[in-house]
PDB file of all heavy atoms in Angstrom:
ATOM      1  N   ILE A 192       0.660   0.218  -6.305  1.00  0.00           N
ATOM      2  CA  ILE A 192       1.829   0.462  -7.137  1.00  0.00           C
ATOM      3  C   ILE A 192       1.788   1.902  -7.637  1.00  0.00           C
ATOM      4  O   ILE A 192       0.780   2.344  -8.197  1.00  0.00           O
ATOM      5  CB  ILE A 192       1.863  -0.507  -8.343  1.00  0.00           C
ATOM      6  CG1 ILE A 192       1.792  -1.964  -7.879  1.00  0.00           C
ATOM      7  CG2 ILE A 192       3.087  -0.249  -9.207  1.00  0.00           C
ATOM      8  CD1 ILE A 192       2.918  -2.393  -6.974  1.00  0.00           C
ATOM      9  N   ILE A 193       2.886   2.639  -7.431  1.00  0.00           N
ATOM     10  CA  ILE A 193       2.997   4.007  -7.914  1.00  0.00           C
ATOM     11  C   ILE A 193       2.983   3.979  -9.431  1.00  0.00           C
ATOM     12  O   ILE A 193       3.633   3.147 -10.054  1.00  0.00           O
ATOM     13  CB  ILE A 193       4.293   4.665  -7.405  1.00  0.00           C
ATOM     14  CG1 ILE A 193       4.246   4.823  -5.888  1.00  0.00           C
ATOM     15  CG2 ILE A 193       4.511   6.016  -8.066  1.00  0.00           C
ATOM     16  CD1 ILE A 193       5.532   5.346  -5.287  1.00  0.00           C
ATOM     17  N   GLY A 194       2.271   4.894 -10.029  1.00  0.00           N
ATOM     18  CA  GLY A 194       2.196   4.960 -11.481  1.00  0.00           C
ATOM     19  C   GLY A 194       0.849   4.507 -11.997  1.00  0.00           C
ATOM     20  O   GLY A 194       0.422   4.927 -13.061  1.00  0.00           O
ATOM     21  N   GLU A 195       0.194   3.654 -11.274  1.00  0.00           N
ATOM     22  CA  GLU A 195      -1.175   3.289 -11.619  1.00  0.00           C
ATOM     23  C   GLU A 195      -2.063   4.352 -10.993  1.00  0.00           C
ATOM     24  O   GLU A 195      -1.699   4.984 -10.020  1.00  0.00           O
ATOM     25  CB  GLU A 195      -1.514   1.904 -11.068  1.00  0.00           C
ATOM     26  CG  GLU A 195      -0.650   0.809 -11.645  1.00  0.00           C
ATOM     27  CD  GLU A 195      -0.932  -0.549 -11.020  1.00  0.00           C
ATOM     28  OE1 GLU A 195      -1.770  -0.640 -10.110  1.00  0.00           O
ATOM     29  OE2 GLU A 195      -0.286  -1.518 -11.443  1.00  0.00           O
ATOM     30  N   ASP A 196      -3.225   4.583 -11.558  1.00  0.00           N
ATOM     31  CA  ASP A 196      -4.116   5.606 -11.024  1.00  0.00           C
ATOM     32  C   ASP A 196      -4.736   5.106  -9.721  1.00  0.00           C
ATOM     33  O   ASP A 196      -5.862   4.649  -9.686  1.00  0.00           O
ATOM     34  CB  ASP A 196      -5.208   5.961 -12.035  1.00  0.00           C
ATOM     35  CG  ASP A 196      -4.651   6.684 -13.239  1.00  0.00           C
ATOM     36  OD1 ASP A 196      -3.653   7.402 -13.075  1.00  0.00           O
ATOM     37  OD2 ASP A 196      -5.214   6.533 -14.330  1.00  0.00           O
ATOM     38  N   VAL A 197      -3.946   5.210  -8.648  1.00  0.00           N
ATOM     39  CA  VAL A 197      -4.382   4.657  -7.366  1.00  0.00           C
ATOM     40  C   VAL A 197      -4.643   5.732  -6.323  1.00  0.00           C
ATOM     41  O   VAL A 197      -5.186   5.434  -5.267  1.00  0.00           O
ATOM     42  CB  VAL A 197      -3.345   3.668  -6.798  1.00  0.00           C
ATOM     43  CG1 VAL A 197      -3.177   2.478  -7.710  1.00  0.00           C
ATOM     44  CG2 VAL A 197      -2.030   4.344  -6.538  1.00  0.00           C
ATOM     45  N   LEU A 198      -4.281   6.969  -6.607  1.00  0.00           N
ATOM     46  CA  LEU A 198      -4.402   8.017  -5.606  1.00  0.00           C
ATOM     47  C   LEU A 198      -5.840   8.137  -5.100  1.00  0.00           C
ATOM     48  O   LEU A 198      -6.077   8.225  -3.900  1.00  0.00           O
ATOM     49  CB  LEU A 198      -3.896   9.344  -6.162  1.00  0.00           C
ATOM     50  CG  LEU A 198      -3.547  10.423  -5.158  1.00  0.00           C
ATOM     51  CD1 LEU A 198      -2.544   9.925  -4.124  1.00  0.00           C
ATOM     52  CD2 LEU A 198      -2.997  11.650  -5.857  1.00  0.00           C
ATOM     53  N   GLU A 199      -6.809   8.096  -6.007  1.00  0.00           N
ATOM     54  CA  GLU A 199      -8.215   8.202  -5.604  1.00  0.00           C
ATOM     55  C   GLU A 199      -8.644   7.005  -4.761  1.00  0.00           C
ATOM     56  O   GLU A 199      -9.388   7.155  -3.792  1.00  0.00           O
ATOM     57  CB  GLU A 199      -9.108   8.348  -6.827  1.00  0.00           C
ATOM     58  CG  GLU A 199      -8.919   9.673  -7.535  1.00  0.00           C
ATOM     59  CD  GLU A 199      -9.758   9.780  -8.798  1.00  0.00           C
ATOM     60  OE1 GLU A 199     -10.661   8.938  -9.000  1.00  0.00           O
ATOM     61  OE2 GLU A 199      -9.506  10.713  -9.569  1.00  0.00           O
ATOM     62  N   ASP A 200      -8.180   5.807  -5.131  1.00  0.00           N
ATOM     63  CA  ASP A 200      -8.507   4.609  -4.345  1.00  0.00           C
ATOM     64  C   ASP A 200      -7.947   4.707  -2.930  1.00  0.00           C
ATOM     65  O   ASP A 200      -8.608   4.331  -1.963  1.00  0.00           O
ATOM     66  CB  ASP A 200      -7.945   3.354  -5.014  1.00  0.00           C
ATOM     67  CG  ASP A 200      -8.641   3.016  -6.317  1.00  0.00           C
ATOM     68  OD1 ASP A 200      -9.783   3.471  -6.518  1.00  0.00           O
ATOM     69  OD2 ASP A 200      -8.032   2.296  -7.121  1.00  0.00           O
ATOM     70  N   ILE A 201      -6.717   5.205  -2.822  1.00  0.00           N
ATOM     71  CA  ILE A 201      -6.081   5.343  -1.509  1.00  0.00           C
ATOM     72  C   ILE A 201      -6.829   6.354  -0.659  1.00  0.00           C
ATOM     73  O   ILE A 201      -7.102   6.117   0.525  1.00  0.00           O
ATOM     74  CB  ILE A 201      -4.602   5.749  -1.663  1.00  0.00           C
ATOM     75  CG1 ILE A 201      -3.809   4.622  -2.332  1.00  0.00           C
ATOM     76  CG2 ILE A 201      -3.996   6.106  -0.312  1.00  0.00           C
ATOM     77  CD1 ILE A 201      -2.404   5.020  -2.744  1.00  0.00           C
ATOM     78  N   ILE A 202      -7.184   7.484  -1.242  1.00  0.00           N
ATOM     79  CA  ILE A 202      -7.900   8.536  -0.512  1.00  0.00           C
ATOM     80  C   ILE A 202      -9.240   8.005  -0.023  1.00  0.00           C
ATOM     81  O   ILE A 202      -9.647   8.261   1.113  1.00  0.00           O
ATOM     82  CB  ILE A 202      -8.070   9.780  -1.405  1.00  0.00           C
ATOM     83  CG1 ILE A 202      -6.704  10.410  -1.680  1.00  0.00           C
ATOM     84  CG2 ILE A 202      -9.008  10.788  -0.772  1.00  0.00           C
ATOM     85  CD1 ILE A 202      -6.690  11.410  -2.803  1.00  0.00           C
ATOM     86  N   GLU A 203      -9.930   7.252  -0.857  1.00  0.00           N
ATOM     87  CA  GLU A 203     -11.223   6.685  -0.474  1.00  0.00           C
ATOM     88  C   GLU A 203     -11.071   5.655   0.644  1.00  0.00           C
ATOM     89  O   GLU A 203     -11.897   5.574   1.544  1.00  0.00           O
ATOM     90  CB  GLU A 203     -11.875   6.035  -1.697  1.00  0.00           C
ATOM     91  CG  GLU A 203     -13.246   5.486  -1.435  1.00  0.00           C
ATOM     92  CD  GLU A 203     -13.848   4.878  -2.692  1.00  0.00           C
ATOM     93  OE1 GLU A 203     -13.806   5.534  -3.749  1.00  0.00           O
ATOM     94  OE2 GLU A 203     -14.354   3.737  -2.607  1.00  0.00           O
TER      95      GLU A 203
END
Side-chain angles (χ1 to χ4, degrees):
I192 305 300
I193 294 175
E195 298 176 358
D196 291 329
V197 297
L198 198 54
E199 292 177 13
D200 291 339
I201 294 170
I202 293 165
E203 183 179 312

